[in-house]
Amino acid sequence: MTYGTGLNPPSSEPFATAFEQPRRGSGAVIPVGGATQPHLPAVPTRRGRSTWIWLWAVLAVLLFGLVSYFTSALGTSASIVGLVLALAPFTLVVSAMLWVDRWEPEPRSLVIFALAWGAIASVGFALLVDLGVHLVLPRSPLWDVAGTVIQAPIVEELGKGVGVLLILLMGRRAFDGPVDGVVYGALVGAGFAFTENIQYFAVSVIEGGAGSLTWTFILRGLLSPFAHAMFTAVTGYALGRAVRGGASLAGSLRPWVGGLVGAMALHALWNGSATFTGLEGFLHLYVVLQVPLFIVFTLLLVRMRHEEERLTKARLGEYAVAGWFTPEEVEMLATPVGRRAGMAWARNLRGDRSALMKSFIRDATALAATRQRAVSGRDARAADDERALLARAARTRQELLAR
């Protein structure tokens, strides 16, 4: 299939007045000023798509405290060893989540914040609660078990879940559905696991040397790198599903609590299988329970990705009916096969215009997400975004077809 004749820009005049602002649940298209509006930014404002600056200051202070704690309690050398080893599972999980997120990538500042919140704030909260508990209650074997199976899942998932909720509050215009929720939740979980692994690996070096460190790395770095990511992804999924249904920020609190309960239950199940069964029992449960859970998690991710693709195609199809895209363009922009074909076509153009095609695909995907937010009635700035993205897509189309 070729796309050289399918990229003709629509005439702007019929569309300047024919579309009306959609009401909640309506099928109308937001008004546009035509495909040739000059000097419009890609996105009119970063508000609702970026982090709050003051939170970075809070994280910086907490980071200083964590570094001081690790170096004083565990020693600099052991902490560095733990840091280096913790990078391996961290890199694996983050790479996997960014791959899942590639259909409609999230703003970089929110991605970095998710990792930072998990690695710094969530861990700091868990450490403070643990310290407070040990100051109030005498340490005992029974309490150690209760702390692992009950306290840790509740406290850690609450700390991580607050981070996911903050991302929704700050980035509500970039939090579009279940895939976004899973990605944000998993990234928060990946950050938490990174710092926790530093501690576990450092303690193994101090208490058991190379042999203990090797076994700990196998258990945490090889057998369960996605555990924390998977737990907190449940919270993110619940929020994303609520957002996709048009829930307000206040209306998202109940699904958030439900997601937290699910994340805590999974976390408790995981910790309990390691605590009550011994090594042999844990490995057995790992094969018959944890591996199937991970497979189900992966299959659900694939299903959600397909749902995102179908939604993108449906929303761009509405613009095709209005004349902004041809049906061939919708197929090219909203399907994996079409995108690959479009990229191959662009690479063969004079001067290799694959960068322009990437921009065209990215803007069209953002346009579909903007349309979805408008239809659900939860984004008052959707009209501004739509005008800008339509104008940018029209200019990119012209550049792609330039002789």
Side-chain angles (χ1 to χ4, degrees):
M1 180 181 294
T2 61
Y3 298 96
T5 60
L7 293 170
N8 297 318
S11 170
S12 63
E13 293 183 2
F15 309 107
T17 58
F19 300 156
E20 60 182 10
Q21 176 73 28
R23 295 170 296 278
R24 182 180 178 88
S26 76
V29 178
I30 302 169
V32 296
T36 58
Q37 292 186 50
H39 309 303
L40 281 171
V43 178
T45 175
R46 292 183 61 195
R47 187 173 180 181
R49 298 180 58 84
S50 59
T51 55
W52 297 332
I53 298 299
W54 63 269
L55 271 178
W56 291 108
V58 172
L59 288 175
V61 173
L62 292 175
L63 177 61
F64 178 79
L66 276 181
V67 172
S68 299
Y69 164 77
F70 273 79
T71 54
S72 61
L74 302 174
T76 303
S77 298
S79 296
I80 291 175
V81 170
L83 173 67
V84 172
L85 291 177
L87 285 172
F90 176 76
T91 302
L92 173 64
V93 176
V94 172
S95 298
M97 289 303 103
L98 293 180
W99 182 84
V100 169
D101 189 44
R102 73 192 190 283
W103 185 261
E104 195 240 329
E106 304 310 304
R108 186 174 300 177
S109 65
L110 293 176
V111 168
I112 295 173
F113 176 82
L115 294 169
W117 182 271
I120 301 170
S122 299
V123 173
F125 175 68
L127 287 173
L128 286 174
V129 171
D130 191 57
L131 176 62
V133 168
H134 287 312
L135 288 176
V136 174
L137 298 175
R139 198 176 187 99
S140 67
L142 178 61
W143 179 248
D144 286 342
V145 172
T148 300
V149 181
I150 299 174
Q151 176 191 317
I154 292 175
V155 173
E156 292 175 9
E157 293 310 321
L158 179 60
K160 291 185 289 179
V162 167
V164 183
L165 185 61
L166 278 173
I167 292 171
L168 176 61
L169 292 174
M170 296 184 295
R172 57 193 177 278
R173 300 178 65 238
F175 204 127
D176 294 315
V179 172
D180 292 353
V182 167
V183 168
Y184 286 132
L187 290 175
V188 172
F192 185 95
F194 171 69
T195 304
E196 189 179 55
N197 280 338
I198 294 174
Q199 182 179 24
Y200 272 93
F201 296 155
V203 169
S204 295
V205 169
I206 295 169
E207 295 183 351
S212 176
L213 176 62
T214 299
W215 181 240
T216 303
F217 182 79
I218 291 173
L219 287 177
R220 298 188 62 87
L222 300 181
L223 294 182
S224 57
F226 286 91
H228 274 289
M230 191 165 57
F231 304 151
T232 315
V234 175
T235 304
Y237 172 82
L239 271 180
R241 184 56 67 185
V243 165
R244 175 58 53 81
S248 64
L249 293 177
S252 300
L253 289 177
R254 186 172 179 179
W256 176 71
V257 172
L260 275 180
V261 172
M264 292 171 184
L266 271 182
H267 197 154
L269 176 64
W270 184 280
N271 286 6
S273 66
T275 302
F276 295 123
T277 59
L279 177 59
E280 184 177 347
F282 169 75
L283 293 177
H284 176 73
L285 281 176
Y286 179 84
V287 173
V288 302
L289 181 62
Q290 309 297 1
V291 171
L293 276 176
F294 178 72
I295 293 173
V296 169
F297 175 68
T298 303
L299 292 176
L300 286 175
L301 274 178
V302 172
R303 181 178 178 180
M304 285 187 287
R305 271 293 309 275
H306 289 163
E307 180 183 334
E308 291 292 304
E309 294 167 13
R310 289 192 296 270
L311 185 63
T312 300
K313 188 173 182 179
R315 291 300 177 226
L316 291 183
E318 295 170 8
Y319 290 105
V321 171
W324 281 98
F325 297 105
T326 67
E328 291 81 9
E329 282 179 328
V330 172
E331 192 70 22
M332 179 186 71
L333 296 167
T335 66
V337 173
R339 289 183 173 189
R340 288 193 293 270
M343 289 297 297
W345 171 75
R347 277 192 294 270
N348 290 326
L349 294 175
R350 180 174 57 84
D352 184 359
R353 301 178 189 178
S354 55
L356 284 172
M357 180 58 73
K358 284 182 181 179
S359 178
F360 195 42
I361 292 171
R362 182 175 60 249
D363 291 341
T365 308
L367 182 62
T370 298
R371 171 72 176 149
Q372 176 60 30
R373 292 197 303 274
V375 169
S376 65
R378 67 180 192 86
D379 186 359
R381 295 183 175 85
D384 294 333
D385 277 7
E386 186 193 48
R387 291 187 186 97
L389 289 167
L390 283 171
R392 179 166 174 168
R395 288 197 296 268
T396 304
R397 177 197 283 117
Q398 292 170 354
E399 293 175 19
L400 276 167
L401 293 175
R403 298 290 182 181

